[in-house]
Amino acid sequence: QVQLVESGGGSVQEGGSLRLSCAVSGYTANYLALGWFRQAPGKEREGIACIDNQQRITSADSAKGRFTISKDNTKRALYLQMDNLKTEDTAMYYCAADRSGGRCYPEFFPGGRADYWGQGTQVTVSS
């Protein structure tokens, strides 16, 4: 059973940075596709970025240039570096994992059909 535990969220002023982490246990991380998603109140869940088992990255247009996904297989960790944060980035951020061949298939990213989800970490950006 895969378990995903996010951390690193918090409150930051506009223009600031945060680095989210997701600890992956119960499965070898390099066999999974791993992604970051977010959901703001009253809005649909949005895919941010995905990294597959070959370290190939797929990012949403909204993330390009400000958000960077990475992973460390030896530490079994997924990261999301978020820079130049904006108030519209305020949301609950989730990491997710998919076992379907370890690739960022559209159903997983940005579709959100994941095998496993973390509990989420809140990011609040104030002006």
Side-chain angles (χ1 to χ4, degrees), residues 8-118:
S11 297
V12 64
Q13 288 196 324
E14 204 164 27
S17 298
L18 283 174
R19 188 193 195 207
L20 305 184
S21 299
C22 176
V24 183
S25 62
Y27 206 84
T28 303
N30 59 339
Y31 287 101
L32 300 171
L34 298 167
W36 286 101
F37 296 77
R38 68 183 180 186
Q39 188 166 20
K43 294 187 177 180
E44 293 188 354
R45 183 175 55 205
E46 174 189 14
I48 302 170
C50 182
I51 185 166
D52 72 11
N53 61 355
Q54 299 296 317
Q55 302 278 1
R56 289 172 294 215
I57 292 172
T58 305
S59 299
D61 288 341
S62 59
K64 293 176 181 177
R66 297 193 301 124
F67 294 179
T68 304
I69 190 171
S70 63
K71 69 173 180 175
D72 187 330
N73 287 333
T74 59
K75 295 182 179 180
R76 298 188 176 185
L78 176 72
Y79 305 103
L80 185 68
Q81 177 66 41
M82 304 188 295
D83 298 316
N84 190 22
L85 284 161
K86 304 176 181 181
T87 55
E88 53 262 41
D89 295 319
T90 295
M92 186 70 80
Y93 285 70
Y94 300 90
C95 70
D98 190 80
R99 297 177 300 176
S100 301
R103 302 286 297 274
C104 295
Y105 293 113
E107 294 80 4
F108 172 53
F109 184 87
R113 196 174 71 188
D115 291 317
Y116 304 100
W117 290 92

